[in-house]
Amino acid sequence: MLMAVILALAVGTYGFRLAGVVLRDRLDLPEPLRRLLPMAAAALLAALAGTAALTDSGAFAGVARPAGVAVGAILAWLKAPFIVVVVAAATTAALLRLLGIP
Amino acid sequence: MRTAERTLARDVGALGVAVAAVGASFGAIAVAAGLPAWAVVTMSVLVFAGGSQFMAVGLITVGNPFAAIFAGLLLNARHLPFGLAIADAIGQGWWRKLVGSHLLVDESVAFAMARPAGPSRQRAYWSTGVTLFVAWQIGTVLGILLGGSVGDTDALGLDAAFPAGMIALLLPSLRDRDTRHVALSGALVAVLATPFLPAGLPVLLALSGLLLAWRR
């Protein structure tokens, strides 16, 4: 049973991945639609970042995580290197939690 | 190595360390929940999508295998539009498509999208995908072996690191006005919908932001 669950999840997930990649070649998309594809990816990534930054299991994520992400976002805006953004975000959130702020 | 490639290697390496840490927490949680080690490793290799794996383990543990499949797939449905958008980063040929598709995760998409189309984008996609796949497996095995002694990754602030990294990778695309409007309105819809809808659906709803660009 456990194996069946894992396989179903694996096959379905791989199916989603492969379907998008293969369909891109098979579908002869008109130019206006093709223009939208990178925007679709940007919208999904922005939504992932936004929901991961602000929510946890459907509720508000607290203070430490959004604050850490905000510090990272500001540094990214100031064109700081990626690694600085990521480390600063993690350090901010970790320090706030160390101080007892959730 | 050219500077851009060295920067890519460093950035992807840093992300790999973070992914391995989350993988370790997954491995530890999954065995603590009673899953046998072989099943945990199999899941990490074959599914390779962290969020859905955590969710599946949680739902399997409470005795709800069908929900584990359904909720996991809902969470992973975003991979289809991602695949449509970054197919060029994977390259041509069946082997590349078959292997490259499995390496499609949020971060490999984000790294690829941050590069201009062409060889540079392909390198970004493949190096991110391969590095994170290996890191996820190493992390999973470490978590299984170390069990309860794996700390909470939230204490390290990793839950803030991933969205911040995503934002950093996304910023260059947001210079384009249409893309900015689509992405920000999509993110707003997703955040507002999150308290009311099952996980995965709010992120898909972000595609409604495309309506702003469709009018033109």
Side-chain angles (χ1 to χ4, degrees):
Chain A
M1 186 63 195
L2 178 58
M3 198 58 201
V5 173
I6 294 173
L7 282 181
L9 186 55
V11 169
T13 302
Y14 185 68
F16 282 133
R17 287 172 164 143
L18 189 65
V21 172
V22 171
L23 275 177
R24 176 64 187 269
D25 273 358
R26 294 294 157 90
L27 296 176
D28 193 16
L29 295 175
E31 176 52 31
L33 253 179
R34 270 210 303 272
R35 194 181 70 93
L36 291 184
L37 289 178
M39 293 187 199
L44 292 170
L45 290 173
L48 285 168
T51 52
L54 299 174
T55 67
D56 191 3
S57 317
F60 190 58
V63 176
R65 192 197 300 173
V69 176
V71 168
I74 291 166
L75 287 169
W77 183 260
L78 297 172
K79 297 198 172 19
F82 177 83
I83 193 159
V84 173
V85 170
V86 171
V87 171
T91 310
T92 305
L95 285 178
L96 286 174
R97 286 186 182 127
L98 210 56
L99 295 171
I101 298 162
Chain B
M1 252 194 298
R2 295 211 329 280
T3 319
E5 302 315 317
R6 212 177 302 144
T7 311
L8 176 69
R10 187 193 63 193
D11 293 351
V12 172
L15 207 58
V17 173
V19 164
V22 178
S25 121
F26 169 74
I29 287 172
V31 285
L35 267 70
W38 61 264
V40 181
V41 174
T42 307
M43 194 192 271
S44 275
V45 171
L46 295 184
V47 178
F48 184 43
S52 67
Q53 291 181 224
F54 277 105
M55 184 177 263
V57 166
L59 289 167
I60 290 169
T61 317
V62 296
N64 210 337
F66 290 105
I69 299 170
F70 187 74
L73 289 180
L74 185 60
L75 204 57
N76 290 341
R78 68 180 184 280
H79 291 103
L80 197 155
F82 273 150
L84 277 172
I86 55 93
D88 66 307
I90 291 180
Q92 290 304 315
W94 271 106
W95 271 112
R96 273 182 159 259
K97 286 197 173 70
L98 288 173
V99 177
S101 294
H102 192 53
L103 302 176
L104 195 157
V105 288
D106 304 329
E107 287 79 15
S108 55
V109 173
F111 266 96
M113 297 292 298
R115 299 291 194 92
S120 151
R121 173 176 289 181
Q122 291 197 5
R123 270 197 301 275
Y125 179 85
W126 282 87
S127 53
T128 312
V130 170
T131 305
L132 297 194
F133 183 80
V134 172
W136 186 244
Q137 310 314 329
I138 292 174
T140 301
V141 172
L142 281 178
I144 292 169
L145 296 175
L146 298 173
S149 53
V150 173
D152 178 10
T153 52
D154 280 9
L156 299 171
L158 291 186
D159 56 328
F162 284 98
M166 199 73 91
I167 290 169
L169 293 169
L170 201 55
L171 274 184
S173 324
L174 298 187
R175 276 202 287 265
D176 174 69
R177 193 167 148 271
D178 279 355
T179 307
R180 188 168 63 238
H181 290 167
V182 168
L184 295 183
S185 57
L188 184 68
V189 168
V191 169
L192 293 179
T194 295
F196 310 105
L197 296 173
L201 215 49
V203 166
L204 291 177
L205 278 184
L207 293 173
S208 64
L210 289 171
L211 292 171
L212 291 178
W214 186 244
R215 287 182 289 120
R216 265 160 285 172

